[in-house]
Amino acid sequence: MRLTYTSDLWYKNAVIYCLDVETYKDGNGDGVGDFRGLTQQIDYLHSLGITCLWLMPFFPTPNKDDGYDITDFYSIDPRLGTLGDFVEFMRTAKDRGIRVIADLVVNHTSDQHPWFKESRSSKDSPLRDWYVWSDKPEPDDPSQIVFPDKENSIWQLDKKTGQYYLHSFYRHQPDLNVANPEVRDEIARVLGFWMELGLSGFRVDAVPFLIENVGDKLPDPHAFLADLRAFMSRREGGAVLLGEVNMPYKDLVSYFGDGNGDQLTMCFDFIGMQRAWLAFARSEAGPISQTLGDRPKPPKDCQWATFLRNHDELTLDKLTDEERQEVFDAFGPDKDMQIYGRGLRRRLPAMFGGDLRRIKMAYSLLFSMPGTPVIFYGEEIGMGDNLDEEGRMAVRTPMQWSQSGGFSDAPPVRGIPGGSFAPERVNVADQKRDPDSLLRWFQLLIERYRECPELAWGDNTVLETGHPSVFAHRCDADGATVVAVHNLSDIAAEIDLALEGLDGCVLTDLLADETMEVADGTVRLPMSPHGCRWLRAAPRGDMPPEDASIIAH
């Protein structure tokens, strides 16, 4: 594929790295991460191969919800630095060719935001309609309560005015009324402000809540997303909206903009993530194969964002009760590991018991799946979780740079994992010097992924392997083919793959020094326990002479 073509739609084969400035690197020694500290680590991220950073909220906040309760959309939390520090960070990231997107949290604000303070001051306030008020709240539906451990309703009485305000999340996070055109205009100004400072887009928090809250107040609730996308495209053609839409595929596709692709540029594949964990629990490929068959193709120029873990709980809400229990039993049997009755508050390496073969296989699978991979900071070194921290904070612990921690010279803002995942055992400095480390594996995966645009751009086909634990798929684009094979079990297997149209081609394993030939349209592949292969197909005549002489049959 032509690089000039794929680079125009940079996000379709980007490598997105999510981090929290607060827990990444402390630059002034106060125990809290900041933009100065993050800026000093740009070269680390560049050497890893990251092409896009996703920043969790960095705005002023009372910090009751780890920054997702915002009091000013136009500034920087003073603990994290200044606008000047942010601009220097952006300049440095741009210098290394790294794009930056940020969380767009506009479903709600903090109850300390000046907008809400003015809105609740009286029923006649000019900002009253900026939030959702009701004389009598709707009957509570338990399924609508996102945090059942903290809330028992999505409506809160404001004693001063005698009305109730809507809060889809915590009661200290009142929902904005995006049906109000003044609110929509203000949201667009927020996007425009940060784009002027260099952002390439936004990860949109809680998108379905934005649309549901509009309800029948607008002729077409989805027009709000289309308007935001059009606004961004006018300012910067390559800007993206990456949506958090945890819905069944049949309901999710409308968030892309149906066939037009004029709303969200990308959507997270929550269904694929949850089915992957079911596959890991069973050591069976079936759930992944089925999901790829069910997943609709996004509109032209749109893309799926794939992931295995993120900054929230590992939600399993789209699995059946029985399937969810299978994953709980395999990866979080203790109640303290579970959260909200629907998910796990653990990181992947801890769930896999530190088994490096299994961890490497899982991330190889992630990077080979059709879509754009998104990883959470610390995944590249196998960071664990700290279950002593409350709720979802268990996975949002300080980055482990060295055996002493390396995050800060002061006591860190959050507790660091101990035991086999403590910094003296899991850190960047040691893994840089170890050619067999997880960090080096991530560097290899990212390098190979960027060399294989077929994985993100191509037509995907699930292949029959004849073995329940082995998953295989091929991606074809512009006459080029990459085949990926993964063994989800701890037992070796040997499979025969039928590769239509590749008879006589040579397959080069991009993750190892090995080649093999397709004979009679078939290739036999031995798969080690938790083994993985990425195979690029090429006619024998297209191979370098040194490779052609070592073909393994």
Side-chain angles (χ1 to χ4, degrees), residues 73-74 104 184-199 201-202 228 231-236 239 241:
F73 290 103
Y74 295 101
L104 180 66
R184 297 198 301 274
D185 287 347
E186 189 65 30
I187 291 172
R189 278 190 285 271
V190 171
L191 269 64
F193 176 84
W194 292 104
M195 289 177 69
E196 285 297 308
L197 295 183
L199 289 188
F202 302 86
L228 286 184
F231 173 86
M232 293 175 59
S233 296
R234 290 195 302 270
R235 298 292 178 94
E236 172 56 55
L241 287 176

Side-chain angles (χ1 to χ4, degrees), residues 3 20 38 73 76 88 144 227 233 239 282-283 294 312 337 410 437 457 489 500 518 539:
L3 185 62
D20 188 351
L38 170 58
F73 290 103
I76 303 288
E88 285 301 293
Q144 293 180 311
D227 288 345
S233 296
R282 294 176 174 176
S283 296
D294 293 341
D312 288 330
M337 299 173 177
S437 69
W457 286 78
S489 86
E500 184 180 349
V518 181

Side-chain angles (χ1 to χ4, degrees), residues 43 51 97 138 156 162 225 237 240 260 295 313-314 452 532 539 545:
D43 280 338
T51 64
E138 299 172 11
Q156 180 68 24
L225 293 178
V240 301
N260 299 321
R295 191 176 77 172
E313 75 275 9
L314 174 64
C452 298
C532 44

Side-chain angles (χ1 to χ4, degrees), residues 292 368 370 454-455 458-464 471-477 479-485 497-503 505 518 521 535 537:
L292 278 186
S368 72
E454 300 91 343
L455 296 174
D459 293 324
N460 176 70
T461 307
V462 176
L463 303 175
E464 178 58 51
F471 172 72
H473 69 289
R474 63 183 282 178
C475 298
D476 299 272
T481 300
V482 174
V483 178
V485 188
L497 276 186
L499 298 174
E500 184 180 349
L502 299 182
D503 193 34
C505 285
V518 181
L535 307 169

Side-chain angles (χ1 to χ4, degrees), residues 55-357:
L55 303 183
M56 293 168 62
F58 49 78
F59 313 99
T61 173
N63 216 24
K64 292 183 179 180
D65 185 22
D66 199 29
Y68 284 87
D69 48 330
I70 295 168
T71 58
D72 183 357
F73 290 103
Y74 295 101
S75 191
I76 303 288
D77 185 334
R79 299 176 309 136
L80 310 182
T82 66
L83 277 172
D85 294 328
F86 176 83
V87 169
E88 285 301 293
F89 154 72
M90 291 296 302
R91 183 197 64 79
T92 308
K94 181 179 179 181
D95 180 64
R96 302 306 192 273
I98 299 176
R99 296 175 183 265
V100 182
I101 65 175
D103 261 313
L104 180 66
V105 187
V106 291
N107 175 74
H108 54 262
T109 69
S110 165
D111 60 3
Q112 300 304 305
H113 196 293
W115 298 344
F116 187 66
K117 288 184 176 181
E118 171 58 36
S119 179
R120 76 190 310 181
S121 64
S122 79
K123 292 183 180 180
D124 299 323
S125 166
L127 297 189
R128 186 68 172 179
D129 195 44
W130 279 45
Y131 293 84
V132 182
W133 295 93
S134 177
D135 290 326
K136 185 178 180 180
E138 299 172 11
D140 284 317
D141 178 355
S143 66
Q144 293 180 311
I145 300 173
V146 177
F147 302 122
D149 61 330
K150 299 292 185 181
E151 303 290 347
N152 56 19
S153 175
I154 59 174
W155 292 93
Q156 180 68 24
L157 176 64
D158 179 55
K159 294 180 180 179
K160 181 176 180 179
T161 60
Q163 284 190 314
Y164 295 80
Y165 64 83
L166 178 66
H167 61 90
S168 298
F169 296 94
Y170 295 111
R171 67 188 66 186
H172 59 78
Q173 294 171 325
D175 282 17
L176 283 164
N177 178 18
V178 295
N180 184 330
E182 293 181 355
V183 173
R184 297 198 301 274
D185 287 347
E186 189 65 30
I187 291 172
R189 278 190 285 271
V190 171
L191 269 64
F193 176 84
W194 292 104
M195 289 177 69
E196 285 297 308
L197 295 183
L199 289 188
S200 293
F202 302 86
R203 175 263 186 185
V204 191
D205 185 60
V207 184
F209 292 95
L210 279 171
I211 300 304
E212 290 169 8
N213 288 348
V214 173
D216 57 3
K217 300 173 186 176
L218 291 177
D220 178 9
H222 279 266
F224 171 54
L225 293 178
D227 288 345
L228 286 184
R229 177 78 176 278
F231 173 86
M232 293 175 59
S233 296
R234 290 195 302 270
R235 298 292 178 94
E236 172 56 55
V240 301
L241 287 176
L242 168 57
E244 181 191 27
V245 187
N246 181 12
M247 303 180 76
Y249 289 137
K250 63 181 178 60
D251 301 318
L252 183 149
V253 290
S254 63
Y255 287 81
F256 281 121
D258 294 318
N260 299 321
D262 60 353
Q263 295 180 34
L264 294 176
T265 321
M266 308 173 71
C267 285
F268 285 106
D269 184 5
F270 278 91
I271 304 299
M273 177 274 292
Q274 296 183 48
R275 302 294 293 178
W277 280 101
L278 182 62
F280 293 149
R282 294 176 174 176
S283 296
E284 294 180 358
I288 301 174
S289 301
Q290 179 185 349
T291 301
L292 278 186
D294 293 341
R295 191 176 77 172
K297 189 173 182 178
K300 185 178 183 292
D301 295 346
C302 292
Q303 181 63 300
W304 290 105
T306 58
F307 67 107
L308 292 176
R309 281 300 281 118
N310 63 11
H311 61 299
D312 288 330
E313 75 275 9
L314 174 64
T315 185
L316 303 166
D317 65 321
K318 297 301 184 291
L319 300 181
T320 66
D321 292 343
E322 293 76 15
E323 291 169 340
R324 187 179 309 111
Q325 192 59 50
E326 286 185 65
V327 180
F328 281 170
D329 291 343
F331 301 118
D334 298 340
K335 285 295 183 182
D336 188 42
M337 299 173 177
Q338 302 167 19
I339 187 169
Y340 310 137
R342 62 174 185 258
L344 294 168
R345 59 190 203 103
R346 309 192 69 196
R347 279 182 176 258
L348 183 149
M351 288 189 279
F352 283 168
D355 184 341
L356 193 57
R357 288 186 311 174

Side-chain angles (χ1 to χ4, degrees), residues 17 19-28 32-47 53 55 76 80-98 100 401 407:
Y17 184 98
L19 65 87
D20 188 351
V21 177
E22 181 183 32
T23 55
Y24 203 65
K25 178 65 175 177
D26 175 15
N28 63 3
V32 179
D34 48 44
F35 277 104
R36 292 189 180 188
L38 170 58
T39 303
Q40 293 305 312
Q41 302 303 324
I42 290 294
D43 280 338
Y44 163 75
L45 294 164
H46 180 254
S47 67
L53 292 180
L55 303 183
I76 303 288
L80 310 182
T82 66
L83 277 172
D85 294 328
F86 176 83
V87 169
E88 285 301 293
F89 154 72
M90 291 296 302
R91 183 197 64 79
T92 308
K94 181 179 179 181
D95 180 64
R96 302 306 192 273
I98 299 176
V100 182
W401 295 102
F407 166 74

